Amino acid sequence: MNHSIEKVQSFSKKVMENLEKVIVGKTHTLELVIISLLCQGHLLIDDVPGVGKTILARSLAKSLGVKFSRIQFTPDMLPSDVTGVSIFNQVTRQFEFRPGPIMAQIVLADEINRATPKTQSALLEAMEERQVTVDGVTYPLPVPFLVLATQNPIEYEGTFPLPEAQLDRFLMRIKIGYPSLFDEMKILELQQIRHPIEELEAVVEIDELLEVQKIIRTVYVSRPLRQYIVELTRATRENPDVYLGSSPRGSLGLFRAGQARAAIHGRDYVLPDDIKLLAENILSHRMVIQPSARLRNLSADQIVHELVTLVPVPGGDLAFQPSTA
């Protein structure tokens, strides 16, 4: 194992162990969060209330020692409530920019589907371009910048479904899920006196994060595996149960996330198993299912799971070979 990959492993281990002090029994979910962080990709947390979505975002910000902001989306919220607004200063006789809550490093967009499409669109520029424009002036967002958006998959009254263009901006869609019996009992024990997040401290520096974000891009992805990624994404467009398949952002998301997962597990090359384990989280929210398939209770997750079993997996040695580079 080279020294760079060891840095990624060490970084991920420190953040994971810190998060597990607060989020109990969700190792796989936390790994997906760290992968998104390493890939500089945004997360959509699609789950019911009370499973720890807000606590997860706050814990991540505390672990990294970065600025955290929470935006509670409501139907009457305006785009300026997110991005900020220019206010006229009577003393200087000039307009001054008052930054909105989006000007943070970890942003929790709580119940994002409760805001109107106009307000939701205020996030598009921030998420993709990592900047906001107010009154014709562009302001860069701080580095690092990560949006964790939440929505309740059960409650639809008073909500505005996210358009496909915005869903495509999220690297992954994840679910936290209810804890097991043992884990829920442990939660009661941990929170008997105070919430463990109150004692959580930063375990890494921002410079460390920026360094490992660069390192994962050097992880080797063989040509057969790149073709496998593209074929898997293209299969979502050709499936008869899918009205709209994944965009090329899905392929790029699998590529980047595969690199991050490989590095976390101590490899400087990506394996098909990395891609298989990430496919549902990266591709399913980028798909629109045919009405006939919905009537059969067929979900995007089920379709992606089936495609993973059908698309041929490349064989041979997928590690970097200097002689054939």
Side-chain angles (χ1 to χ4, degrees), residues 55-68:
I55 292 297
L56 172 59
R58 287 179 58 201
S59 301
L60 181 62
K62 279 201 165 191
S63 299
L64 302 174
V66 298
K67 183 181 179 183
F68 171 75

Side-chain angles (χ1 to χ4, degrees), residues 42-58 68 70-73 107-115 120 123 127 147-153 155 159-160 162 166-167 170 172-174 176:
H42 307 293
L43 270 174
L44 178 62
I45 309 175
D46 199 7
D47 220 327
V48 295
V51 293
K53 300 187 293 290
T54 303
I55 292 297
L56 172 59
R58 287 179 58 201
F68 171 75
R70 180 178 181 272
I71 309 172
Q72 180 63 55
F73 282 86
V107 178
L108 175 65
D110 213 0
E111 295 187 291
I112 188 174
N113 57 336
R114 290 202 172 277
Q120 289 177 8
L123 279 176
M127 292 171 65
V147 173
L148 287 86
T150 74
Q151 64 177 8
N152 183 350
E155 191 175 349
T159 63
F160 302 86
L162 298 180
Q166 186 158 357
L167 285 171
F170 290 100
M172 289 190 200
R173 181 178 65 181
I174 66 171
I176 298 176

